[in-house]
Amino acid sequence: MILVTGGAGFIGGNFVLDWLREPNNEGIINLDKLTYAGNLATLASLKDDPRHIFVHGEIGDKELVQRLLSEHKPRAIVNFAAESHVDRSIHGPAEFVQTNIVGTFNLLECAREYWNNLDVDKKAQFRFHHVSTDEVYGSLSAQDPAFTESHPYEPNSPYSASKAASDHLVRAWFHTYGFPVVTTNCSNNYGPYHFPEKLIPLVILNALNSKPLPIYGDGQQVRDWLYVGDHCSAIREVLANGRLGETYNIGGWNEKANLDVVKTICNILNELKPRIDGKSYAEQITFVKDRPGHDRRYAIDASKVERELGWRPAETFDTGIRKTVQWYLDNPEWIEGVVSGSYRDWLSKQYQ
Ligand code: NAD
Ligand code: DAU
């Protein structure tokens, strides 16, 4: 078995589905708190798959994590569980400190105790894979080179500060205790099952519902976009062959300004599902108040993972965004399930 945390969320859910699609892979224990971002509908196709064991609970629960480790004896842990939305971290940072820092600490401690008691072979095989973000490196100007793994940590939001803290804990557990960790820091993911509080799914859904497409500030902030299936393949590669104690940056080689991303989505929708009035969805673009402390640019230099492990993304932005828009058009039931009362409350709080 492997233990996956946060496997009912966007990236964790895609990871679980992709992993179990391969018949020779081990089973998964999926530990998820089912916050607003966790969604069992993402895992509906696994209902009758005995290789998937879903456990509703949290990484900060010491007794639960200890019990899962001793019962299932996983050979690896992949830690996706986190509070992940920058805007929510600005409104309420406490949960971010609790899950991302204290929760990761608890998981590390339980895992270290478990690992210490494994026999020699299993101990050598064990891995703790921590999934993190490029936001820990802070913000770049237009001329700066992309983030490498040795870029200083300069987190700017409560979210990125909490992720940076968790990365430091993971690093220290390797250096101090020899605990076998690998960390990946990746750029903005997009693809199926993405909760529509984040830019790309929010814009697709708002466009289809005749709502404004909110662009923070001048829309010239730059992000690197990584298709979620590519991120999952990178994690599998690093988990299998990454060097212990190392970090690997994972990116899509797709830097785009937010406004260009939104215009691209509008163009694809104009083609796949034209507006009844024949006008472009771009007419719905609305500039709104900027995010406080908004990082201007992120860019990932993913050459280390390519050089050492031979991993490169399979999707370009053009292929990945088209698949993504098509997925949202094809999956109205999944969307129905996530746009609950709490989602609507969030939209009115954030966008008035
Ligand atoms: P998400 O918000 O979609 O999902 C997070 C999942 O974690 C949810 O299912 C939630 O229920 C679960 N969870 C939250 N608190 C928990 C707790 N205390 N115990 C157990 N489960 C808990 O997030 P995501 O976008 O899938 O991100 C997954 C990981 O990847 C996070 O660590 C995030 O920081 C990192 N990351 C995300 C992106 C991105 O673009 N989405 C980019 C870089 C890194
Ligand atoms: O870089 C990796 C990070 O990417 C992850 O660590 C985070 O978990 C993930 O949420 C994401 O963070 P961002 O803040 O970059 O993603 P978001 O989709 O919230 O915003 C993308 C950009 O679009 C950002 O510059 C803010 C802008 N934006 C976002 C929203 C929701 C808008 O202009 N309007 C919006 O309504």
Side-chain angles (χ1 to χ4, degrees):
M1 302 292 281
I2 65 167
L3 172 63
V4 166
T5 71
F10 164 47
I11 307 174
N14 275 281
F15 180 84
V16 169
L17 292 171
D18 287 359
W19 181 274
L20 293 176
R21 214 166 275 133
E22 169 56 59
N24 295 326
N25 280 342
E26 308 102 314
I28 286 181
I29 314 137
N30 183 351
L31 172 62
D32 196 294
K33 187 180 175 183
L34 295 180
T35 66
Y36 76 92
N39 186 354
L40 286 178
T42 301
L43 305 167
S45 62
L46 302 176
K47 196 165 58 69
D48 300 319
D49 189 336
R51 292 184 306 152
H52 180 239
I53 300 171
F54 183 79
V55 180
H56 182 198
E58 72 154 287
I59 58 170
D61 182 340
K62 188 172 175 185
E63 274 162 36
L64 174 64
V65 175
Q66 282 175 330
R67 181 167 63 71
L68 292 177
L69 292 173
S70 75
E71 265 176 25
H72 297 284
K73 308 208 173 344
R75 64 129 179 126
I77 298 175
V78 187
N79 182 29
F80 293 96
E83 290 293 336
S84 69
H85 189 32
V86 174
D87 294 320
R88 286 187 194 250
S89 82
I90 296 167
H91 285 281
E95 275 302 308
F96 288 72
V97 171
Q98 208 50 45
T99 284
N100 300 0
I101 308 177
V102 182
T104 302
F105 164 73
N106 183 61
L107 198 60
L108 280 168
E109 273 300 75
C110 294
R112 184 169 72 88
E113 185 190 24
Y114 163 74
W115 169 77
N116 265 329
N117 291 316
L118 290 173
D119 67 33
V120 177
D121 288 349
K122 293 222 164 85
K123 205 168 174 182
Q125 204 195 16
F126 186 80
R127 293 287 179 278
F128 184 101
H129 187 134
H130 180 60
V131 179
S132 192
T133 171
D134 59 1
E135 298 201 12
V136 297
Y137 299 125
S139 186
L140 296 169
S141 71
Q143 300 75 31
D144 287 333
F147 300 129
T148 63
E149 289 78 359
S150 56
H151 195 280
Y153 270 41
E154 290 170 344
N156 290 320
S157 71
Y159 162 70
S160 56
S162 68
K163 290 297 287 185
S166 69
D167 292 9
H168 291 324
L169 291 174
V170 170
R171 175 189 159 89
W173 261 235
F174 173 74
H175 282 270
T176 304
Y177 304 115
F179 183 62
V181 305
V182 281
T183 297
T184 44
N185 294 83
C186 74
S187 52
N188 285 57
N189 283 222
Y190 68 104
Y193 306 108
H194 202 181
F195 191 77
E197 64 186 354
K198 309 280 169 66
L199 180 70
I200 287 182
L202 180 87
V203 163
I204 298 171
L205 296 199
N206 279 13
L208 294 172
N209 290 315
S210 311
K211 291 190 181 148
L213 312 181
I215 308 274
Y216 296 164
D218 63 3
Q220 293 308 312
Q221 301 80 8
V222 170
R223 299 290 182 265
D224 171 61
W225 292 96
L226 172 66
Y227 189 70
V228 65
D230 280 331
H231 184 198
C232 293
S233 77
I235 292 173
R236 293 195 298 275
E237 188 56 48
V238 172
L239 180 63
N241 298 312
R243 285 187 294 134
L244 289 186
E246 291 291 316
T247 64
Y248 294 90
N249 283 355
I250 314 294
W253 302 106
N254 283 313
E255 276 187 64
K256 305 267 174 227
N258 293 338
L259 189 55
D260 293 336
V261 169
V262 174
K263 285 182 176 165
T264 303
I265 294 169
C266 291
N267 288 338
I268 297 173
L269 283 172
N270 288 340
E271 189 191 314
L272 298 181
K273 197 168 172 39
R275 266 173 48 157
I276 297 168
D277 62 8
K279 292 185 177 163
S280 170
Y281 287 98
E283 303 240 332
Q284 290 164 234
I285 289 175
T286 310
F287 290 87
V288 300
K289 193 160 132 305
D290 208 354
R291 171 186 280 174
H294 198 171
D295 284 338
R296 195 68 182 163
R297 172 175 168 243
Y298 305 139
I300 278 269
D301 179 341
S303 43
K304 177 177 172 184
V305 68
E306 181 168 359
R307 198 171 55 246
E308 290 193 10
L309 305 177
W311 179 88
R312 258 193 87 81
E315 302 290 344
T316 63
F317 188 68
D318 288 345
T319 59
I321 193 69
R322 191 166 275 277
K323 279 190 189 177
T324 303
V325 173
Q326 189 65 59
W327 187 89
Y328 279 88
L329 290 173
D330 292 345
N331 287 278
E333 329 74 46
W334 185 89
I335 294 161
E336 281 287 297
V338 296
V339 292
S340 64
S342 75
Y343 173 68
R344 285 193 290 274
D345 291 348
W346 164 253
L347 290 187
S348 59
K349 184 171 179 182
Q350 175 69 359
Y351 303 100
Q352 268 97 48

